Amino acid sequence: MQRSSTTMSRSGHRTTTAFEQYVSGRRALLDGTAFFLESVAHAGAVLQIAEPADVIFAPSSTAQPEDPRMVGYLGGFRRPGDVIAVDGRLAVELQDYVAAPLLSIGGPTVVRQRSAEGIAAFLSDADTARECGIFVDQLLDRHVLLDVRALFAGADGARDALVRVHVTAAGEYRDGVDGLLLGHVGDERADIEASAAVGAGPGRAFARIVDPAMLAADLDDRPWIGRYAALLELLRRWDDVPRRPTVSGFGGHLVRALDEGAAYPSVLSADAPFLLAVDMGEYLLADPVSGRRFPLDPDTARAAECLIATADESAATALLATELGVRVGDAAQIVRDVQDGFAAAGLDLVRRGRDAA
């Protein structure tokens, strides 16, 4: 019996979601691990340790139609330029991060760091975005998925240790193609999960190509890196995003005092709202958690930025009064109105700012 179109649609969505989980290292399925097999030989062993909610990507000749956990693929996914066709519907190209600024994006593309040079290039691009507000255009394309985004977005690897498992042709279980060794084919699932939990940390996804301790130190020097990764994800999912987006905290702020000294802490949380200038005198506040966007006039945008940066209404009022050159009482009313308005919409700017500070 052929599957109904509804069933096929649901199956296709789950396949796409599971593949994004495997690539990004960030949980997308409600439950379950995304396995990716390089070799036909290990399909049986993986099936033995797989749980009902898992998804297993395997070379097409190993896919077993009677087992709904198996998803076949054709092609390779190791070298730049490789194209993989998943389940007969999803075709994805693999490219090297070092070449990202030169890429012409023609369809779904995974950009993978692949080497110490690739990781260094990513961090350098992040620094440029933070300091100058200049982004790599290709990373803002909705067809581009950044490999191991979860590492940079601050996912809790200890709490959610077994999100993905890459099974090499040699029978190794790893956290991604270049990641931490979790075990070998034949090991029990509990042992793999234990290795993943013990090895949790910001460097585990690149353990085969860089020293995890050195990468952790590099990320510690950039406590805002998770916010940068969240911004890339927000912008790439935004169909009409400005080609050269102007984002508060990346290259400067709307409120000038926030660029003068260290009186106020930088917003670090990936969940704190983003303030974008979209046109002359027009602004948007984008919530990365809900995906909602709020159009703002300049004074409201300044008040919102003050609330997020200070996480305190009194401090936000004083900062706004200085910025606008008005009395504290007048600024207080603006701040109160903005805070109450967003709170009524389910977005507490003070709490979000405090969580981020």
Side-chain angles (χ1 to χ4, degrees):
M1 179 185 293
Q2 290 185 338
R3 292 177 293 176
S4 70
S5 60
T6 300
T7 301
M8 292 179 70
S9 176
R10 289 175 179 172
S11 174
H13 175 73
R14 180 171 174 78
T15 295
T16 300
T17 301
F19 188 76
E20 287 195 6
Q21 176 170 311
Y22 163 71
V23 171
S24 70
R26 188 176 186 86
R27 181 160 298 285
L29 300 170
L30 181 61
D31 195 9
T33 297
F35 287 85
F36 187 95
L37 279 62
E38 291 185 358
S39 171
V40 172
H42 307 308
V46 172
L47 277 170
Q48 289 181 356
I49 65 169
E51 295 182 347
D54 294 343
V55 175
I56 304 167
F57 297 100
S60 60
S61 59
T62 71
Q64 301 181 18
E66 69 274 11
D67 194 317
R69 296 170 296 180
M70 299 291 291
V71 177
Y73 72 81
L74 295 171
F77 208 56
R78 284 295 294 249
R79 294 179 295 276
D82 281 352
V83 176
I84 186 173
V86 181
D87 201 21
R89 15 176 165 230
L90 177 66
V92 183
E93 183 176 355
L94 178 67
Q95 288 292 349
D96 194 320
Y97 187 92
V98 172
L102 305 176
L103 295 177
S104 178
I105 306 299
T109 303
V110 169
V111 176
R112 179 180 288 169
Q113 291 79 10
R114 298 188 71 249
S115 64
E117 291 76 14
I119 296 171
F122 173 81
L123 295 177
S124 177
D125 289 339
D127 291 340
T128 299
R130 179 72 171 179
E131 296 166 8
C132 306
I134 299 173
F135 299 86
V136 175
D137 290 341
Q138 287 80 353
L139 299 184
L140 309 186
D141 191 302
R142 68 177 296 103
H143 295 102
V144 171
L145 185 62
L146 180 66
D147 193 48
V148 203
R149 183 176 69 87
L151 181 151
F152 303 109
D156 186 351
R159 182 183 63 81
D160 199 7
L162 206 63
V163 173
R164 64 177 189 166
V165 176
H166 184 94
V167 187
T168 70
E172 297 173 327
Y173 290 135
R174 289 187 175 273
D175 180 8
V177 64
D178 295 314
L180 180 73
L181 180 64
L182 304 175
H184 296 83
V185 168
D187 291 348
E188 297 294 329
R189 186 184 182 106
D191 295 329
I192 301 168
E193 291 175 341
S195 295
V198 171
R204 83 181 212 180
F206 300 117
R208 189 150 68 168
I209 56 177
V210 295
D211 182 343
M214 292 183 64
L215 179 55
D218 285 337
L219 297 180
D220 286 344
D221 289 339
R222 299 168 175 84
W224 43 265
I225 197 72
R227 186 156 176 78
Y228 170 69
L231 178 59
L232 292 180
E233 184 67 8
L234 175 76
L235 293 177
R236 85 172 185 88
R237 292 181 180 274
W238 192 335
D239 288 333
D240 55 348
V241 63
R243 179 167 175 79
R244 300 291 182 183
T246 301
V247 185
S248 172
F250 291 85
H253 296 83
L254 179 60
V255 175
R256 291 164 294 181
L258 293 174
D259 293 323
E260 299 170 359
Y264 301 99
S266 297
V267 178
L268 306 179
S269 172
D271 292 337
F274 292 94
L275 181 65
L276 293 85
V278 293
D279 206 344
M280 292 296 294
E282 296 181 10
Y283 298 87
L284 279 179
L285 187 137
D287 178 13
V289 176
S290 68
R292 292 181 298 170
R293 305 170 201 163
F294 304 86
L296 308 176
D297 60 61
D299 285 352
T300 302
R302 288 183 173 89
E305 189 176 50
C306 290
L307 282 164
I308 296 170
T310 64
D312 179 86
E313 282 192 35
S314 296
T317 295
L319 182 60
L320 185 64
T322 300
E323 174 70 15
L324 298 181
V326 301
R327 294 180 301 176
V328 171
D330 294 334
Q333 187 60 54
I334 297 173
V335 169
R336 168 47 55 187
D337 289 347
V338 171
Q339 171 67 4
D340 288 349
F342 278 108
L347 181 57
D348 188 333
L349 297 184
V350 169
R351 182 183 62 80
R352 288 286 190 90
R354 184 175 296 122
D355 290 346

